[in-house]
Amino acid sequence: MKNIRGSKLTLGYENTVIIDGVSIEFPMNKITILIGANGCGKSTMVRSFARLLKPMEGQVLLNGRNISTMVNKDISKELAILPQNPIVAGGITVKELVEMGRFPYQNWQNKLKAEDKEMVEKALKDTNMLEFKDRRLDSLSGGQKQRVWIAMVLAQGTDIILLDEPTTFLDVTYQIEILDLIYKLNREEGKTIVMVLHDLNLSSRYADHMIALKDKRVYRQGTPDQVVTKDLIKDVFGMDCEIIKDPLYKTPMLVPYSQAIWSSSPASQAI
Ligand SMILES: Nc1ncnc2c1ncn2[C@@H]1O[C@H](COP(=O)(O)OP(=O)(O)OP(=O)(O)O)[C@@H](O)[C@H]1O
Ligand SMILES: [Mg+2]
């Protein structure tokens, strides 16, 4: 049985603890979305699950094995990550970057097989980047670049995908398109998705499971209805809001109060 979980994880940098003794499991074949204020440790947590950060204490278990004892190729066949700020050497083309997603499957000759080429082509098509395949990455806009990174992660073909703010830089159409693509990968191919997202309304719409982080711990987890509540938004983000139902999907939708506008708005006179 496949699974990924953290056991008594303490994470941080040098002497600073960011996540303190958290045990957590991401439900398989579901979409989990991590939320929390800037700097609360979402990226730190996601990075530790992909072994980009070594835990100070505790362990990450992938299919029951401590990932610190696994070789890179074995991890990369199970789990792909799109970090918040991915970096790559300059001069590379779109296709070359997406092909990197196939590295875990290559032998010492580094030759792409027919199956690798198919996966690269499909990933480029799914992200609408096929027409850009020969362009240099550094010649693309922020949103186009983001879609190439997502294509690379898709080309890796793993059952578990970790995405740290995958919709950053994307215009509203592409935000929905990418989230729809992720949703389809989950519903049609059973991929386990763990993603960090700041848009709480879209999170509520796409998540099966949500995890809110605060004070170095999991503050609350559950369905969007259980997590996105007025009191949690106040406690976790320090913000006053109303929660209404998304008119299309009936999921929780946040309407924030703007303090500056409030005092002079007709709405304030009405109360
Ligand atoms: N390499 C690093 N060295 C030292 N401190 C770091 C490092 N990376 C992150 N931090 C600190 O750890 C804390 C958590 O950072 P992290 O990037 O995990 O937050 P986040 O929840 O992803 O925030 P955001 O919503 O802004 O992306 C922050 O205080 C940050 O400054
Ligand atoms: Mg982050």
Side-chain angles (χ1 to χ4, degrees):
M1 177 64 186
K2 297 206 163 181
N3 60 42
I4 182 161
R5 63 192 181 89
S7 169
K8 295 181 188 152
L9 277 182
T10 295
L11 310 171
Y13 306 93
E14 289 169 33
N15 299 321
T16 313
V17 170
I18 305 292
I19 297 289
D20 193 6
V22 166
S23 292
I24 195 167
E25 181 155 2
F26 301 122
M28 294 307 286
N29 316 113
K30 301 269 187 237
I31 299 178
T32 298
I33 298 187
L34 288 175
I35 61 166
N38 286 138
C40 74
K42 302 178 297 296
S43 297
T44 301
M45 185 174 268
V46 166
R47 283 160 40 80
S48 80
F49 274 89
R51 209 176 63 179
L52 299 179
L53 179 74
K54 193 170 176 279
M56 291 168 149
E57 279 173 43
Q59 44 186 269
V60 170
L61 296 152
L62 180 58
N63 306 335
R65 287 174 69 192
N66 183 344
I67 57 164
S68 69
T69 66
M70 294 174 70
V71 296
N72 279 343
K73 265 196 174 182
D74 287 346
I75 298 175
S76 315
K77 284 179 188 165
E78 297 288 338
L79 174 157
I81 181 170
L82 173 63
Q84 188 166 8
N85 298 304
I87 29 172
V88 70
I92 193 169
T93 68
V94 166
K95 189 157 160 271
E96 284 164 348
L97 182 72
V98 180
E99 285 173 354
M100 284 184 180
R102 299 305 298 168
F103 275 6
Y105 304 91
Q106 283 167 28
N107 59 20
W108 56 274
Q109 285 179 304
N110 265 356
K111 267 216 172 130
L112 290 177
K113 295 185 280 298
E115 188 196 341
D116 298 318
K117 288 180 184 161
E118 256 168 48
M119 290 289 285
V120 168
E121 183 97 354
K122 181 174 185 302
L124 284 167
K125 214 187 269 169
D126 284 347
T127 50
N128 271 334
M129 289 310 288
L130 207 48
E131 62 177 298
F132 295 92
K133 70 180 175 27
D134 297 316
R135 284 271 294 273
R136 278 172 60 127
L137 194 69
D138 51 21
S139 75
L140 302 180
S141 75
Q144 290 164 343
K145 259 187 219 146
Q146 188 74 357
R147 280 152 55 204
V148 184
W149 285 107
I150 292 170
M152 186 189 81
V153 164
L154 297 184
Q156 211 174 313
T158 58
D159 285 340
I160 302 170
I161 301 178
L162 312 178
L163 302 158
D164 196 347
E165 300 193 29
T167 56
T168 315
F169 304 120
L170 299 183
D171 72 36
V172 63
T173 307
Y174 275 119
Q175 284 183 36
I176 298 290
E177 200 160 292
I178 289 296
L179 289 171
D180 274 350
L181 174 62
I182 291 165
Y183 188 85
K184 271 172 62 187
L185 284 168
N186 167 262
R187 294 307 194 258
E188 291 171 12
E189 298 178 33
K191 307 269 189 201
T192 299
I193 311 282
V194 177
M195 140 165 92
V196 178
L197 215 59
H198 274 296
D199 187 317
L200 294 168
N201 296 337
L202 289 179
S203 297
S204 298
R205 184 181 288 188
Y206 285 92
D208 297 301
H209 189 70
M210 286 177 85
I211 300 175
L213 300 180
K214 191 197 174 205
D215 294 339
K216 306 179 186 176
R217 300 233 156 93
V218 172
Y219 184 80
R220 195 188 293 169
Q221 57 178 319
T223 62
D225 276 320
Q226 290 166 335
V227 173
V228 182
T229 61
K230 201 169 161 160
D231 65 307
L232 180 133
I233 302 301
K234 180 71 177 171
D235 293 347
V236 171
F237 297 97
M239 192 180 73
D240 291 307
C241 70
E242 295 296 332
I243 304 288
I244 58 172
K245 270 197 188 310
D246 181 325
L248 292 178
Y249 298 94
K250 313 299 175 207
T251 44
M253 201 167 121
L254 192 125
V255 183
Y257 285 95
S258 300
Q259 297 307 329
I261 300 175
W262 180 247
S263 56
S264 59
S265 90
S268 67
Q269 314 293 317
I271 290 178

